[in-house]
Amino acid sequence: MESSGLEGKVLEMFEVGPCESAYQMGFLIGQRFSNLIRSRLARDLILQDQLLPFAQTPQAQPLLKALADNNKKKFPSYWDELIGTAEGSGVPVLNIILINFRKEIVPFLPKNKLISNAESPDDCSDVLIVSDSIAMVAHNEDANVALVGHTYLIKGMLSKELSFIAYTYAGELPSCAFGFNSHGLAFTLNSVPPIEDEIVAGGIGRNFISRDLLEASGIDDAVTRIHSSEASVGHSYNLIDIRTRKILNVETASMNRISVREVGATPFFRANMYLHLPVQQVQDDNSISRQRRALVLPKTSKNEFLSLLGDMADAKYPIYMTGNLEHI
């Protein structure tokens, strides 16, 4: 990644709520981070060069309508939060819709006009372990370069009983990256690359599903919410029960397909590919390379896990794209 001058900015946390409505929460978030949201949208080449032009075509209208109708019906409050974010930030609602449904739209872009990086997976990696001496999920956040300097933390106060903290991409619902709530449920996320035939057009968006996880009462409730989500595109969820030291990796695909693997004392590394759910997926040399590299690196302590996530030994497909700078 080239330097943007934004990397060194302190990550801001915004506490919001309790609010009278989900729309108000979204509006306040959009208003507070209006400049960041506008800057992110202007720098996002996938949005500017692919999603916005596609959204103006007749071919896009059935897909966009299905995404809007189905997600609004299943998660009306999160839809209102999304609309509030757009109107609070003063940017077109369409732009906010497109970035929140990027993963559900990109597979249906005309292939003859697709830019090279539009289909590339987000390059996040995780290493997970639960043993007698350590229970840990370590995550690095390697995503679209347009997001560098365009993220923030949201502390959402939903009620006296429920709050959450979520790392949030500017303009998107909290959180398509990682977060935790006051019930002791935490999660990190990894994208996976199913082939087009494995994707249901107009299904539920992954940003809406992960937003829903922030309100889960525990790890079992989180699995139930994921399993019943009716997702358009598959995803990988690393679920953590902070109170019981239980960690699950949940892989999903369209048509409510799911595979749950409990993490034990053997360190479990994952990049952006399916590992245990039988799904036809795009050949991803980046993830394959990261998986192979992780196999040979030591994984016996917290410091070694963090060092692994910052590894740059492979010049073409490093585990961390910008080096040992960021790990969670």
Side-chain angles (χ1 to χ4, degrees):
M1 292 183 184
E2 295 181 357
S3 175
S4 66
L6 294 169
E7 296 93 329
K9 294 183 66 175
V10 175
L11 190 64
E12 180 178 349
M13 180 184 290
F14 178 53
E15 182 172 332
V16 58
C19 295
E20 294 181 358
S21 66
Y23 174 88
Q24 184 188 41
M25 175 173 279
F27 187 92
L28 292 173
I29 293 171
Q31 186 178 60
R32 178 64 188 84
F33 294 107
S34 175
N35 290 338
L36 273 188
I37 293 170
R38 290 170 180 269
S39 177
R40 181 262 170 104
L41 297 183
R43 291 169 55 88
D44 193 325
L45 295 182
I46 295 175
L47 172 67
Q48 297 296 334
D49 296 344
Q50 295 292 309
L51 298 179
L52 280 171
F54 175 65
Q56 307 306 318
T57 66
Q59 296 91 329
Q61 302 317 304
L63 174 61
L64 296 180
K65 185 177 188 305
L67 285 169
D69 290 349
N70 292 332
N71 285 270
K72 183 176 181 179
K73 180 179 180 181
K74 188 171 182 66
F75 294 120
S77 62
Y78 306 151
W79 181 263
D80 289 346
E81 188 177 321
L82 182 150
I83 300 301
T85 301
E87 296 185 352
S89 63
V91 304
V93 171
L94 176 62
N95 293 27
I96 296 298
I97 289 174
L98 292 176
I99 62 171
N100 275 275
F101 289 114
R102 177 173 66 94
K103 291 291 187 176
E104 290 74 28
I105 297 173
V106 164
F108 301 101
L109 294 176
K111 298 300 182 285
N112 61 328
K113 297 181 179 180
L114 196 64
I115 57 177
S116 61
N117 67 341
E119 285 188 309
S120 63
D122 297 328
D123 299 324
C124 302
S125 302
D126 282 73
V127 59
L128 306 82
I129 186 172
V130 179
S131 68
D132 292 339
S133 60
I134 186 172
M136 180 177 178
V137 173
H139 172 88
N140 73 10
E141 190 66 23
D142 261 344
N144 189 316
V145 68
L147 293 170
V148 175
H150 296 96
T151 60
Y152 40 80
L153 292 170
I154 296 298
K155 183 176 182 180
M157 310 298 293
L158 301 180
S159 67
K160 291 181 179 179
E161 294 77 29
L162 179 59
S163 63
F164 66 79
I165 293 178
Y167 181 79
T168 305
Y169 297 167
E172 300 192 34
L173 290 172
S175 164
C176 56
F178 53 87
F180 61 92
N181 69 19
S182 54
H183 292 311
L185 186 280
F187 62 84
T188 69
L189 306 174
N190 306 94
S191 65
V192 288
I195 65 170
E196 186 176 330
D197 289 347
E198 298 277 7
I199 299 171
V200 173
I204 302 303
R206 291 181 298 177
N207 281 17
F208 282 74
I209 299 167
S210 54
R211 172 63 183 84
D212 194 43
L213 290 183
L214 290 170
E215 302 192 17
S217 61
I219 199 166
D220 292 336
D221 183 35
V223 172
T224 298
R225 290 172 186 245
I226 293 169
H227 197 186
S228 62
S229 62
E230 302 170 359
S232 170
V233 183
H235 212 33
S236 173
Y237 302 84
N238 305 305
L239 304 178
I240 306 106
D241 189 322
I242 296 171
R243 296 169 180 170
T244 65
R245 301 175 81 250
K246 183 177 184 179
I247 298 175
L248 303 176
N249 175 245
V250 182
E251 293 185 346
T252 70
S254 59
M255 296 176 284
N256 288 337
R257 289 171 290 170
I258 186 172
S259 175
V260 180
R261 173 173 175 172
E262 184 165 358
V263 175
T266 301
F268 179 62
F269 175 86
R270 67 161 307 115
N272 302 105
M273 57 189 293
Y274 286 102
L275 297 178
H276 49 91
L277 180 64
V279 173
Q280 296 184 75
Q281 59 184 315
V282 176
Q283 176 82 7
D284 177 21
D285 292 336
N286 187 323
S287 283
I288 293 171
S289 176
R290 282 182 282 148
Q291 291 286 157
R292 289 174 176 167
R293 174 62 179 161
L295 280 175
V296 303
L297 291 175
K299 298 177 285 294
T300 60
S301 68
K302 173 183 175 181
N303 286 340
E304 288 179 347
F305 295 152
L306 297 181
S307 178
L308 182 155
L309 292 179
D311 185 76
M312 295 180 66
D314 189 314
K316 186 176 183 180
Y317 299 124
I319 291 177
Y320 191 64
M321 296 295 292
T322 55
N324 196 5
L325 299 177
E326 180 178 18
H327 32 239
I328 304 300

